[in-house]
Amino acid sequence: MMQDKRGAPAAEKGRNLGLDALRIASMLAVVGQHLILHGGLQEALSGSLAGSLSASFLYIACLFAVDGFVLITGYCQAHKPFRLRGLFRLWVQASVYNVLCTAAVNLRVLYPDMQYADMLQAVFPILTDAYWFFTTYFALMLLSPFLNRAFGSLSRGKALALLLALVLLFSVFTDLASLTGRDPFRLSGGCRLDWFVVLYLTGAYFGRYGAPRFGLALAGGAMGMNALLTLVLTVWPLRIPGMTITPAQFRGNNSLLVYLSAVGLLWWFRAESPAGRCIRFFAPLCFAVYLIHDNLWVRLFYIQALSPLPALAGGPWYGWLGMFFAEGAGIFLFGCLVEWVRRQLFRLLRIDPLCDRIADRIAALWRRLTNAIFCRIGGEEDF
């Protein structure tokens, strides 16, 4: 791979294949997290110290996924005009997969307790919070034009000061407070909109002003420190009156070490220019991998019930580890294949132009509504 030696931020040069590679890596890491947690691998390996540490180290290597995906969005989206078309297509994509996965798995033979309300709720993945990441991400995208305008109006010094303050509050301070068993900002491990805003602004800052060259060292150091803490706290648990110190406290999406590992990978991947048609092909398809395999019913029926990982965990390490990578790659490739087929069908049936027309009408109605409100209160700006 050749490094990009030019000084201009990658966000200003069009599509960045390095960031596309990070998208793919993030999605593979998401699948890895779900196989470890939902697939029963962590529980199956918890019977021995070596197995428990192996599962923990593997999980730590995958922790950058959520933060990395949102950082990429901020890096790329903060400098582009907001288009409702893309967001509406994303909603249609999530609704289609939620309905299809729910219908495919919830046959009466497999799940006799299925209620018709389950199918109705599947049509509205945001209102029913079918996918926590998608729900939060969708809200972030609705706020993105306002975030772009506000953050873009700041000087570089003020933007950096704001970013540091947000990281100190929502990451460093929260990590420290977790030692006493508290979650002062109710961030739920970084799964809420406020933390996504911090990640989005972080990506926007580096997209605007560029990033240092030591990203891989930062990511490796943060992951290594997290692994070291896990090792120390697992082998020699700390018991301090009034404090709770466990390895899991440093694995939330808003944990400083997880945040730094994702930021470091963003810095490194943005400066890389990997060649390959595979990256161009898979990057636009990979979000569907999440929508398919993390559907509630797919997770219950396949990831939790049929994954071979727990059965292999009692054997040699190379057996379960090899199956972990093979199963993860299989889920990724299957999801991308299904998404490719869906895109071809949508193109054939001309569904995408229909979605665009609906999105344009919604945008026009919104503009008329906001203009009417501005005129009523004496405003002049049409956002």
Side-chain angles (χ1 to χ4, degrees), residues 279-291:
I279 293 177
R280 293 182 182 274
F281 177 78
F282 285 112
L285 305 176
C286 65
F287 192 73
V289 176
Y290 159 68
L291 296 174

Side-chain angles (χ1 to χ4, degrees), residues 246-324:
T246 65
Q249 291 172 266
F250 305 99
R251 298 179 191 169
N253 296 323
N254 63 314
S255 171
L256 181 63
L257 292 176
V258 176
Y259 171 77
L260 290 178
S261 66
V263 168
L265 290 175
L266 178 76
W267 291 357
W268 184 63
F269 273 99
R270 65 166 287 278
E272 297 294 315
S273 299
R277 296 177 181 176
C278 288
I279 293 177
R280 293 182 182 274
F281 177 78
F282 285 112
L285 305 176
C286 65
F287 192 73
V289 176
Y290 159 68
L291 296 174
I292 294 172
H293 91 277
D294 202 41
N295 171 269
L296 171 63
W297 300 102
V298 173
R299 186 167 69 240
L300 289 173
F301 175 66
Y302 176 72
I303 302 295
Q304 293 184 4
L306 298 180
S307 176
L309 287 173
L312 294 172
W317 64 269
Y318 52 81
W320 63 260
L321 185 61
M323 178 55 68
F324 172 80

